[in-house]
Amino acid sequence: MYQTLARTSRRYLSKLPDKTSTLAKFNFPLATSTIKSVTENIHEFINHKQKVTLNGHIHRKARIRPTLSFGFLRDCNGEVVQFVANAATNDKVMDTMKKLTVEESVSITGFAQQKQLRKGETESWELALEDIQILNSSNIDAPRLEKLKQARPEDLPPQFRYLQLRTPFYQNALRVRSKIAQLIRKVLVDGHDFVEIETPLLFKSTPEGAREFLVPTRSPNQFYALPQSPQQYKQILMSSGFTKYFQIAKCFRDEDLRSDRQPEFTQVDLEMSFVNSSDQVMRVVEDVVLSIWGKIKQTSMYTLNESGELVETESDANATRLSKLDYLTALQKYGIDKPDLRSKISFESLEDFFVATENNDFPVVEACVLRGAFDPKLQPSKPPKSLTSELNYSRRRPYVFIIKSENDTKTWYEQLVKKGFMRNKGNLSEDNLCRRLSLNPGDILAVSSRSHLPYENPTPLGKFRQLAILEFPGKWQRPIRRGNDLVDSYNSDETVVGTWVVDFPLFNPVEVSEDTNAPYPKYDKSQLESTHHPFTMCKSEDYNLLETAPLKVKGEHYDLVVNGVEVGGGSRRIHDAALQQYIFEEVLHVKNYQQLFGHLLKALSMGCPPHAGLAMGFDRLCAMVVGTSSIKDVIAFPKNQSGSDRVVESPTTVDEKTLNEYFITTIDSCK
Amino acid sequence: MYQTLARTSRRYLSKLPDKTSTLAKFNFPLATSTIKSVTENIHEFINHKQKVTLNGHIHRKARIRPTLSFGFLRDCNGEVVQFVANAATNDKVMDTMKKLTVEESVSITGFAQQKQLRKGETESWELALEDIQILNSSNIDAPRLEKLKQARPEDLPPQFRYLQLRTPFYQNALRVRSKIAQLIRKVLVDGHDFVEIETPLLFKSTPEGAREFLVPTRSPNQFYALPQSPQQYKQILMSSGFTKYFQIAKCFRDEDLRSDRQPEFTQVDLEMSFVNSSDQVMRVVEDVVLSIWGKIKQTSMYTLNESGELVETESDANATRLSKLDYLTALQKYGIDKPDLRSKISFESLEDFFVATENNDFPVVEACVLRGAFDPKLQPSKPPKSLTSELNYSRRRPYVFIIKSENDTKTWYEQLVKKGFMRNKGNLSEDNLCRRLSLNPGDILAVSSRSHLPYENPTPLGKFRQLAILEFPGKWQRPIRRGNDLVDSYNSDETVVGTWVVDFPLFNPVEVSEDTNAPYPKYDKSQLESTHHPFTMCKSEDYNLLETAPLKVKGEHYDLVVNGVEVGGGSRRIHDAALQQYIFEEVLHVKNYQQLFGHLLKALSMGCPPHAGLAMGFDRLCAMVVGTSSIKDVIAFPKNQSGSDRVVESPTTVDEKTLNEYFITTIDSCK
């Protein structure tokens, strides 16, 4: 119930709006049809002189002429129809026609009739108007709105999100999002007997990960925190007897908003107990993801076969349908843990020949060759700018060479040795080096360095590969195997390639770089952090390394990567409280782990069964299916980069009295 | 990524847990069956000597005997099976049998065999054990856990919620909740083409309603607020071109927690545009609710026919399937706006005869007769205590009489006149009064007063009616019409009666009672508040009263009431910005409405179409279907009455450094 205080002084009085015209806005005929339903049966409508009522918005300015006047209605499917008023029509209709402004909502009634097509028009019918009623006008002055509407929808000012959302692109984007959610639930509930369980959003501060939003309570110095994910609650659910849990869950992270991050986001979260291998989770997730592309986009998904060719995914009772790529191979071949496998560009290690000398922690020299990138006859003097621009690299750039001549194929490295970037490893065999790279005039060669265990993600060469894919669309596409044929010319925008990336290192040294743009990052190997989260189980074969060499331990973690995007990540979890405690205490050195995670350790101790799960970024998944690069396009009311929702103008100030109820005060007022 | 700081001093070292026994917990056979699937095909399993693996929890203490030992496994469906180890079985199995403690998770493998039934047993088979493996032990000492498990599940300490949730009742409750959510989505999406759209949880403080949770940001004195409902965003969505929106949405209210309120709760929220009557929304909601009871409980829903009898709901193309009861009738007949219509108890106004004189604002005298409540021969001296106990009434109690004799039927009122509670209205006709009430010995009569426009909800007599329904189960049941028959003896617990309550007053005077337990509430008629929310449209016929007598205006609001519970409430909304502004300004006197609701007024001004919607309390709905009185039973991790989640021990303190990042500090540290 909304309660108010009497105003002590009134500056002005508004009048009760006119009764007749106001009530008329609530009293109107329901739509009998949509534009689409009339179009589909147009002959019947015309032959039977069937009366039609359409409701919608005025799409553009009406044309008022002495004999015939024309209006344009857009209905809820985004389709537009012309309606015609004859000067002979009754005065009321003509009066209304003259008043129409764009985007107001109206109800029109009349008869469908054949349309005289003008040049460029394809619409087949128009509505001969019998009656028209304005259901709500648009009070922004018409010329301004006309102008706004001429902007591309994505360029409309964000406070007019509702106008944006009325356009077909956004209508479709949010409808597809709804369909994907519905399909995910169908696959998990009907297909796999999962139970959807809501976990609390008023959670507890466990400040080990990203920064959390706090929620003050009306008890002094007592705060909830909004969850970064349902991870801990879902593990407690595994200890609660649910064997297959999922949730399409809201999550929160108070991080600095990069262009495509939102402070609140949605995650498809699932967990299964009594599983003895990651494959059981992976196969469920494959069912979900293949259904989404199959049913909503009518697209098959490809993955890699053993020869590194793309093949359509097939059901296999004994294996996952998507290939598995291990983390080290991904980093060594593609320089990133989420490679876009539609491209076959990959790297060669030059470790046998050189050692990089700029920074002892980054000794490995590696090379990437873009074969036949240019016509050697044209003799360009420089590689494409995007491949070398400082703006495209956050740290050091690779050295990029254009191989113009036979001589270049043999001498390119001399410059790098001279510069002191690297040195020969003693017995350099030029023949072997030539064989390794097989350079030819017309190639572009990039050379860079990385560490042995490649912490940089992407490496400089990994970033180079991404830029090359963008710079040379359609080139070096990984071939698709169709029976005996290999096809390498295809539309990569419409090709969906998925893979699992596995065998991640369980821990990383903490990065302690002072300058985030310095050529090389710095790590403190005495401080470890979990690559994903501290609840991930290690590979059995690495168990003893937990004690002796934790940085060498690989985790039972799996990422789902589609077209170079990490769509989801999951792991087998530690269900043994003693092992979990050891990792908090002896590996991660979490001081107050009992206070932060004691609840989880207790729940594990109570006979919690073995379990594994995964979480997918729902916003990103929807954006991929819709075919947009921004998750803002699939969120009804996204926040901008300052965290503000321009439609409602949040956040706002709050008065001191209210804050005091929460036993808090702003720091300014405290001083 | 979880990051930690190196501990400067270590007080003790934990050891890496033993490799073999720890890894064994991750390496075990998958279940081949469930107990249920074996039971259903038991002969086949026995005849073919099919090997079975079952995974689950140890349900109770094993019985270790010299020849045969018995264990008890409960699987994920909550079913229990006995497994038997012969002393001749291998030593490893016997050793494990001896170590078993309750609630640990195990994997057992063996062969189903016929069981020798002991007295009272109905299970038909047991598992002859070949192998058993403990997947995780329960580290709480066994005797304590044994004892805990003997408590009724609902009496387990809340920090052991995971043990509670393992019991069949809670497993079922959360599974049913998941099914209901799935069914709601099916009806709305597949049946009615609704689009599910997520609206932001980081919203803006609009402090007109209940107290909101605030969320500090890292900008000085800038706060988000968690939404009490998606009301404003969904209206903006109506202005965004979506014609049928819904969402199963998380909502938040920072109110004092009564026994059955939660600070976060779930709401089924829907809205439709271009509708010209409430019925269009009601019929969609009826589809949802009738499906839930029909498909999940296999129960039909009843409603009232014109004679006030219960009838099964039927499809009707021209009307809602549930009856409509207007607010004034509900208050006058049942003393509450959400009457339990399974009872036919109703009230008689005695306005013609008496006027109540204790408080001028509460002049109406009304009576409730419980006919044949007792056997007059037994001559009880007092009515049942529950009907008169002060504890059961928050304000004044009705006067309750037991009618023992013919004389009592005529003289009961003299006492009330003498007491000064009421006076005759001049020409009291005893005959007419007798006819009005038709009292007989054996009746219980309750008399109380109310105001003309009955603001109290429930009235004292309305509360009396609820108590009488509880005190006399099975009595005065409203008859069910089945063809020509009227049935009034039925199990009311299994009978579901729904109705719409309509024609609520649009505004109420603000209650200004100093003492919430004083006999009569106090109102300030110069301050109005919305009965539901300020976005509700008035009845057309009352339009002009907005200016002249707003308290007399009825709203286009509708509540869905099932078995005395308000399951949902909705309304046609004001889509005309000028009218909405008038109501903020001239009726509710909201001082800063532009700041609070300017975003909504702007969205309405942009040609927002007419719209109407409804919200249902999802937790309450689930509780009703599950058949429990507490919503905590259908929430995985509810908060207790102090707002604490005892499983994770939230909320917690937050250190000053973190608070400072949000430009806030606790008030204590500020002084």
Side-chain angles (χ1 to χ4, degrees):
Chain A
M1 284 200 298
Y2 282 77
Q3 178 177 328
T4 64
L5 295 169
R7 267 198 320 203
T8 44
S9 68
R10 297 196 185 182
R11 276 163 309 181
Y12 60 94
L13 289 170
S14 15
K15 266 189 64 177
L16 183 64
D18 173 63
K19 176 174 174 172
T20 312
S21 62
T22 303
L23 290 183
K25 297 178 182 178
F26 290 85
N27 186 13
F28 59 95
L30 288 182
T32 58
S33 316
T34 59
I35 297 173
K36 195 175 159 207
S37 71
V38 176
T39 305
E40 283 170 358
N41 299 290
I42 183 61
H43 296 300
E44 216 167 299
F45 274 93
I46 293 178
N47 294 341
H48 295 88
K49 298 212 170 182
Q50 213 172 310
K51 197 178 257 194
V52 173
T53 296
L54 298 171
N55 294 338
H57 292 270
I58 293 300
H59 189 59
R60 58 176 192 269
K61 218 176 151 182
R63 288 204 313 266
I64 308 297
R65 300 279 180 276
T67 49
L68 292 175
S69 293
F70 302 91
F72 305 93
L73 176 117
R74 187 187 67 236
D75 77 0
C76 59
N77 296 320
E79 283 164 303
V80 176
V81 75
Q82 171 171 299
F83 53 91
V84 191
N86 196 307
T89 318
N90 67 54
D91 290 351
K92 188 177 144 256
V93 167
M94 279 310 294
D95 283 354
T96 307
M97 284 292 285
K98 285 176 192 155
K99 278 188 286 184
L100 292 179
T101 59
V102 291
E103 287 305 326
E104 56 193 10
S105 53
V106 297
S107 175
I108 60 174
T109 300
F111 296 92
Q113 65 186 20
Q114 212 68 42
K115 191 176 163 187
Q116 290 196 315
L117 294 187
R118 302 205 298 176
K119 215 174 120 188
E121 284 183 342
T122 55
E123 293 157 58
S124 61
W125 62 280
E126 61 191 8
L127 199 80
L129 209 56
E130 289 261 299
D131 201 6
I132 178 166
Q133 189 179 335
I134 296 177
L135 306 182
N136 207 8
S137 46
S138 63
N139 295 337
I140 289 215
D141 57 310
R144 182 163 174 226
L145 196 50
E146 285 274 335
K147 209 175 150 199
L148 275 177
K149 282 203 62 186
Q150 278 158 26
R152 291 181 309 164
E154 61 270 34
D155 295 337
L156 278 167
Q159 62 270 39
F160 292 119
R161 183 69 173 173
Y162 24 93
L163 289 186
Q164 258 177 4
L165 291 179
R166 283 181 197 173
T167 61
F169 172 79
Y170 289 99
Q171 286 281 318
N172 177 63
L174 293 190
R175 281 166 205 267
V176 166
R177 183 184 174 110
S178 172
K179 275 186 201 156
I180 296 175
Q182 189 76 354
L183 185 59
I184 290 172
R185 290 189 164 98
K186 197 171 143 66
V187 173
L188 292 177
V189 175
D190 300 349
H192 290 282
D193 207 24
F194 273 71
V195 182
E196 184 163 24
I197 300 177
E198 297 165 58
T199 53
L201 294 184
L202 296 173
F203 181 46
K204 166 178 159 171
S205 176
T206 58
E208 285 294 295
R211 196 186 286 106
E212 309 157 310
F213 284 106
L214 298 175
V215 181
T217 70
R218 282 176 293 127
S219 298
N221 197 12
Q222 291 288 307
F223 296 82
Y224 297 114
L226 299 177
Q228 298 175 36
S229 89
Q231 179 68 33
Q232 295 177 57
Y233 274 118
K234 78 172 169 179
Q235 290 196 247
I236 297 173
L237 280 174
M238 292 300 102
S239 191
S240 304
F242 293 95
T243 50
K244 290 174 173 181
Y245 143 92
F246 87 106
Q247 184 182 192
I248 301 187
K250 284 276 189 167
C251 305
F252 303 84
R253 253 174 234 178
D254 185 17
E255 293 295 326
D256 296 320
L257 302 175
R258 292 185 313 219
S259 62
D260 213 27
R261 258 198 192 170
Q262 287 285 311
E264 56 181 303
F265 56 98
T266 304
Q267 190 166 295
V268 181
D269 193 51
L270 60 88
E271 196 78 15
M272 299 163 73
S273 68
F274 292 111
V275 296
N276 63 8
S277 127
S278 305
D279 280 19
Q280 289 138 38
V281 175
M282 290 177 179
R283 293 171 69 168
V284 167
V285 174
E286 288 174 354
D287 271 2
V288 169
V289 172
L290 290 171
S291 290
I292 291 172
W293 264 281
K295 300 225 165 112
I296 294 179
K297 298 283 278 186
Q298 280 82 45
T299 306
S300 15
M301 190 175 268
Y302 292 86
T303 193
L304 263 60
N305 66 12
E306 287 179 0
S307 318
E309 302 151 355
L310 297 183
V311 285
E312 274 193 36
T313 51
E314 274 173 28
S315 288
D316 181 334
N318 298 310
T320 58
R321 285 187 269 176
L322 300 180
S323 57
K324 290 178 188 164
L325 174 65
D326 73 277
Y327 174 84
L328 271 181
T329 306
L331 265 290
Q332 287 166 2
K333 289 177 78 169
Y334 313 114
I336 193 165
D337 65 355
K338 45 184 181 188
D340 185 344
L341 295 175
R342 291 172 298 183
S343 165
K344 64 178 178 188
I345 301 172
S346 70
F347 310 155
E348 289 295 340
S349 165
L350 301 182
E351 272 184 283
D352 303 348
F353 308 100
F354 303 107
V355 59
T357 49
E358 277 185 359
N359 184 316
N360 287 340
D361 288 334
F362 296 79
V364 183
V365 177
E366 54 181 5
C368 176
V369 183
L370 305 178
R371 299 193 191 283
F374 63 92
D375 179 347
K377 287 177 212 139
L378 299 178
Q379 293 277 333
S381 61
K382 281 183 186 173
K385 208 174 167 187
S386 75
L387 302 184
T388 55
S389 164
E390 262 185 49
L391 296 172
N392 289 336
Y393 295 87
S394 56
R395 297 191 177 275
R396 67 196 182 285
R397 289 170 288 168
Y399 295 95
V400 181
F401 304 90
I402 48 175
I403 306 297
K404 288 188 265 188
S405 61
E406 278 300 326
N407 187 48
D408 286 351
T409 68
K410 289 172 190 154
T411 59
W412 62 267
Y413 65 88
E414 289 167 5
Q415 205 184 329
L416 293 181
V417 172
K418 206 180 294 165
K419 265 190 146 172
F421 167 71
M422 61 190 193
R423 62 174 165 75
N424 297 346
K425 258 195 165 173
N427 47 357
L428 173 69
S429 150
E430 290 203 358
D431 273 6
N432 285 346
L433 178 58
C434 270
R435 256 199 303 281
R436 176 73 55 90
L437 295 180
S438 323
L439 290 172
N440 284 301
D443 292 352
I444 290 176
L445 168 70
V447 177
S448 187
S449 59
R450 63 167 169 83
S451 61
H452 265 293
L453 191 53
Y455 306 129
E456 282 175 294
N457 188 12
T459 60
L461 218 50
K463 184 67 198 173
F464 172 85
R465 181 177 183 271
Q466 291 180 317
L467 296 168
I469 291 171
L470 288 176
E471 181 67 33
F472 297 96
K475 284 209 103 171
W476 311 297
Q477 292 193 156
R478 189 177 297 271
I480 297 177
R481 158 85 44 202
R482 295 199 203 281
N484 289 326
D485 296 336
L486 277 181
V487 180
D488 60 6
S489 113
Y490 53 85
N491 183 341
S492 76
D493 286 345
E494 286 168 9
T495 306
V496 185
V497 179
T499 192
W500 292 103
V501 178
V502 296
D503 296 349
F504 285 79
L506 192 53
F507 307 105
N508 275 323
V510 169
E511 188 176 335
V512 291
S513 309
E514 275 150 33
D515 176 359
T516 55
N517 293 315
Y520 294 89
K522 270 191 201 163
Y523 303 99
D524 175 353
K525 291 200 182 183
S526 72
Q527 290 180 47
L528 302 192
E529 61 184 13
S530 298
T531 308
H532 295 97
H533 57 56
F535 319 117
T536 308
M537 180 58 186
C538 64
K539 291 265 163 191
S540 307
E541 57 269 31
D542 295 342
Y543 189 81
N544 283 334
L545 295 175
L546 285 172
E547 199 166 15
T548 54
L551 278 174
K552 291 192 179 153
V553 175
K554 288 197 281 287
E556 284 267 16
H557 180 95
Y558 32 91
D559 267 0
L560 173 62
V561 174
V562 177
N563 286 3
V565 174
E566 180 200 319
V567 167
S571 59
R572 296 181 73 187
R573 326 295 186 184
I574 298 167
H575 67 289
D576 181 83
L579 178 58
Q580 182 66 71
Q581 183 164 342
Y582 179 85
I583 288 187
F584 284 141
E585 201 167 278
E586 298 304 325
V587 182
L588 296 172
H589 307 317
V590 182
K591 255 191 213 165
N592 51 345
Y593 69 89
Q594 278 297 353
Q595 188 199 321
L596 299 178
F597 302 111
H599 54 271
L600 183 65
L601 292 172
K602 267 188 219 154
L604 295 180
S605 306
M606 202 71 97
C608 177
H611 55 284
L614 178 134
M616 281 189 278
F618 184 62
D619 306 295
R620 168 63 46 213
L621 185 65
C622 292
M624 290 185 79
V625 174
V626 165
T628 171
S629 64
S630 169
I631 61 170
K632 286 184 189 171
D633 290 343
V634 293
I635 295 173
F637 302 104
K639 304 280 192 288
N640 69 10
Q641 283 207 47
S642 339
S644 164
D645 176 347
R646 294 297 313 281
V647 174
V648 302
E649 290 295 354
S650 68
T652 59
T653 59
V654 166
D655 62 52
E656 199 63 19
K657 188 171 147 272
T658 305
L659 295 182
N660 291 350
E661 290 191 76
Y662 290 94
F663 297 93
I664 58 172
T665 184
T666 52
I667 279 187
D668 274 356
S669 64
C670 178
K671 275 169 188 165
Chain B
M1 282 200 298
Y2 282 77
Q3 179 177 327
T4 64
L5 296 170
R7 268 196 323 202
T8 43
S9 69
R10 297 196 185 182
R11 276 164 309 182
Y12 60 94
L13 290 168
S14 14
K15 265 190 63 177
L16 182 64
D18 173 64
K19 175 176 175 174
T20 312
S21 61
T22 304
L23 289 183
K25 296 177 180 179
F26 290 84
N27 186 12
F28 59 94
L30 288 182
T32 58
S33 318
T34 60
I35 297 173
K36 196 175 159 209
S37 72
V38 176
T39 306
E40 282 169 359
N41 299 291
I42 183 62
H43 296 300
E44 216 166 300
F45 275 94
I46 293 179
N47 294 341
H48 295 89
K49 297 212 171 182
Q50 214 173 311
K51 198 177 255 195
V52 172
T53 296
L54 299 171
N55 293 340
H57 292 271
I58 294 300
H59 189 59
R60 56 177 193 271
K61 216 176 150 182
R63 289 202 313 267
I64 307 298
R65 299 281 180 276
T67 48
L68 292 175
S69 293
F70 302 90
F72 306 91
L73 176 118
R74 187 187 67 238
D75 78 0
C76 59
N77 296 319
E79 284 166 301
V80 176
V81 75
Q82 171 172 299
F83 53 91
V84 192
N86 196 306
T89 320
N90 67 53
D91 290 350
K92 188 179 143 253
V93 167
M94 280 310 295
D95 283 353
T96 307
M97 284 293 284
K98 285 177 192 156
K99 277 188 286 186
L100 292 178
T101 59
V102 291
E103 288 305 326
E104 56 193 10
S105 54
V106 296
S107 174
I108 60 175
T109 299
F111 296 93
Q113 66 185 22
Q114 212 67 43
K115 189 176 164 187
Q116 290 195 316
L117 294 186
R118 302 206 299 176
K119 217 174 118 188
E121 285 183 342
T122 56
E123 293 156 59
S124 62
W125 62 280
E126 60 191 8
L127 198 81
L129 207 57
E130 289 261 300
D131 201 5
I132 178 166
Q133 189 179 336
I134 297 177
L135 306 182
N136 207 6
S137 45
S138 63
N139 295 338
I140 288 215
D141 57 309
R144 182 162 173 227
L145 196 52
E146 284 275 334
K147 210 177 148 195
L148 276 177
K149 280 204 61 185
Q150 279 158 25
R152 293 181 308 165
E154 60 270 35
D155 296 337
L156 279 168
Q159 62 270 38
F160 292 119
R161 182 69 172 173
Y162 24 92
L163 290 186
Q164 259 177 4
L165 291 178
R166 285 181 197 173
T167 61
F169 171 80
Y170 289 98
Q171 286 280 318
N172 177 62
L174 293 191
R175 280 167 205 267
V176 166
R177 182 183 175 113
S178 172
K179 276 187 199 154
I180 295 175
Q182 189 75 353
L183 186 57
I184 290 172
R185 291 189 164 98
K186 198 171 143 68
V187 172
L188 292 177
V189 176
D190 300 348
H192 290 280
D193 207 23
F194 273 71
V195 181
E196 184 161 24
I197 301 176
E198 297 165 58
T199 54
L201 294 184
L202 296 173
F203 182 45
K204 166 180 159 168
S205 178
T206 59
E208 283 294 294
R211 194 185 290 107
E212 308 158 311
F213 284 105
L214 298 174
V215 181
T217 71
R218 283 176 292 129
S219 297
N221 198 13
Q222 290 289 307
F223 295 82
Y224 297 115
L226 299 177
Q228 298 175 35
S229 88
Q231 180 68 33
Q232 295 177 56
Y233 274 118
K234 79 173 168 179
Q235 290 196 247
I236 297 172
L237 280 174
M238 292 301 101
S239 191
S240 305
F242 293 95
T243 51
K244 291 175 172 180
Y245 144 91
F246 87 107
Q247 184 181 194
I248 301 188
K250 284 276 188 165
C251 305
F252 302 85
R253 255 174 230 177
D254 185 17
E255 293 295 327
D256 295 319
L257 301 175
R258 293 185 313 218
S259 61
D260 215 26
R261 258 197 193 171
Q262 288 285 312
E264 58 181 303
F265 56 98
T266 304
Q267 192 167 293
V268 181
D269 193 51
L270 60 87
E271 197 80 13
M272 299 164 72
S273 68
F274 291 111
V275 296
N276 62 8
S277 128
S278 306
D279 281 19
Q280 289 138 37
V281 175
M282 290 177 178
R283 293 170 69 168
V284 168
V285 174
E286 288 174 354
D287 271 1
V288 170
V289 172
L290 290 171
S291 289
I292 291 172
W293 264 282
K295 300 223 167 117
I296 292 179
K297 299 282 279 185
Q298 279 82 45
T299 306
S300 16
M301 191 176 267
Y302 293 87
T303 193
L304 263 59
N305 67 11
E306 287 179 0
S307 318
E309 301 152 354
L310 297 183
V311 285
E312 273 193 38
T313 49
E314 275 174 28
S315 289
D316 182 335
N318 298 310
T320 58
R321 284 188 268 177
L322 300 179
S323 58
K324 289 178 188 164
L325 174 67
D326 73 275
Y327 175 83
L328 270 181
T329 306
L331 264 290
Q332 286 165 5
K333 288 176 79 169
Y334 312 115
I336 193 166
D337 65 355
K338 45 182 180 188
D340 185 346
L341 295 176
R342 289 172 300 183
S343 166
K344 63 179 179 189
I345 302 171
S346 71
F347 310 155
E348 289 294 341
S349 165
L350 301 181
E351 272 186 283
D352 303 350
F353 307 101
F354 304 106
V355 61
T357 49
E358 278 185 358
N359 183 316
N360 287 341
D361 288 334
F362 296 79
V364 183
V365 177
E366 56 181 2
C368 176
V369 184
L370 305 177
R371 300 194 189 281
F374 61 92
D375 179 346
K377 287 178 210 137
L378 298 180
Q379 294 278 329
S381 60
K382 283 182 183 171
K385 209 175 165 187
S386 75
L387 302 184
T388 55
S389 163
E390 264 185 47
L391 297 172
N392 288 337
Y393 294 88
S394 56
R395 298 190 176 276
R396 68 198 181 283
R397 288 170 292 167
Y399 294 95
V400 181
F401 303 92
I402 50 175
I403 307 296
K404 286 190 266 190
S405 61
E406 278 300 327
N407 188 48
D408 287 352
T409 68
K410 289 170 190 154
T411 59
W412 61 266
Y413 65 87
E414 290 167 3
Q415 208 184 328
L416 292 181
V417 173
K418 205 179 295 165
K419 267 188 144 170
F421 167 71
M422 62 189 192
R423 62 175 166 73
N424 297 346
K425 257 194 167 170
N427 47 0
L428 173 68
S429 151
E430 289 204 0
D431 273 6
N432 284 348
L433 177 58
C434 270
R435 257 201 301 280
R436 175 73 55 91
L437 294 179
S438 322
L439 291 172
N440 284 301
D443 291 353
I444 290 175
L445 169 70
V447 177
S448 188
S449 59
R450 63 166 169 84
S451 60
H452 265 294
L453 191 54
Y455 306 129
E456 283 174 293
N457 188 13
T459 62
L461 220 49
K463 182 69 197 172
F464 171 84
R465 181 178 183 270
Q466 290 179 318
L467 296 168
I469 291 171
L470 287 177
E471 180 67 32
F472 297 96
K475 284 210 102 172
W476 311 298
Q477 291 193 157
R478 188 176 297 270
I480 296 176
R481 160 79 50 198
R482 294 199 203 282
N484 288 326
D485 296 335
L486 277 181
V487 181
D488 61 5
S489 113
Y490 53 83
N491 183 342
S492 74
D493 286 344
E494 287 169 7
T495 306
V496 185
V497 179
T499 192
W500 293 103
V501 178
V502 296
D503 295 349
F504 285 78
L506 191 54
F507 307 105
N508 276 321
V510 170
E511 188 176 333
V512 290
S513 311
E514 276 150 31
D515 177 358
T516 55
N517 292 316
Y520 294 89
K522 270 190 202 165
Y523 302 100
D524 175 354
K525 292 200 180 183
S526 72
Q527 290 182 46
L528 302 191
E529 61 185 13
S530 297
T531 308
H532 295 96
H533 58 56
F535 319 115
T536 308
M537 179 59 186
C538 64
K539 291 263 159 193
S540 306
E541 57 269 31
D542 295 342
Y543 189 81
N544 283 335
L545 294 176
L546 284 172
E547 198 166 16
T548 55
L551 277 175
K552 291 191 178 152
V553 175
K554 289 198 280 291
E556 284 267 17
H557 181 94
Y558 32 91
D559 267 0
L560 173 62
V561 174
V562 177
N563 287 1
V565 173
E566 181 201 319
V567 167
S571 58
R572 295 181 74 186
R573 326 294 186 183
I574 299 167
H575 67 289
D576 181 84
L579 178 58
Q580 182 66 71
Q581 184 163 342
Y582 179 85
I583 288 187
F584 283 141
E585 200 166 278
E586 298 305 324
V587 183
L588 296 173
H589 307 317
V590 182
K591 255 190 216 167
N592 50 345
Y593 70 88
Q594 278 296 355
Q595 188 199 322
L596 298 178
F597 301 111
H599 53 273
L600 184 64
L601 293 172
K602 266 188 222 156
L604 295 181
S605 307
M606 201 71 97
C608 178
H611 56 283
L614 179 132
M616 281 189 276
F618 184 62
D619 306 295
R620 167 64 48 214
L621 184 67
C622 292
M624 289 184 80
V625 174
V626 165
T628 172
S629 62
S630 170
I631 61 169
K632 287 184 189 170
D633 290 343
V634 294
I635 295 174
F637 301 105
K639 304 279 193 287
N640 70 11
Q641 284 207 46
S642 337
S644 164
D645 175 346
R646 293 296 313 282
V647 175
V648 302
E649 291 295 354
S650 67
T652 60
T653 58
V654 167
D655 63 54
E656 200 62 20
K657 187 170 148 271
T658 306
L659 295 182
N660 291 351
E661 289 192 75
Y662 290 94
F663 297 93
I664 58 173
T665 183
T666 52
I667 280 187
D668 274 356
S669 65
C670 179
K671 277 171 189 166

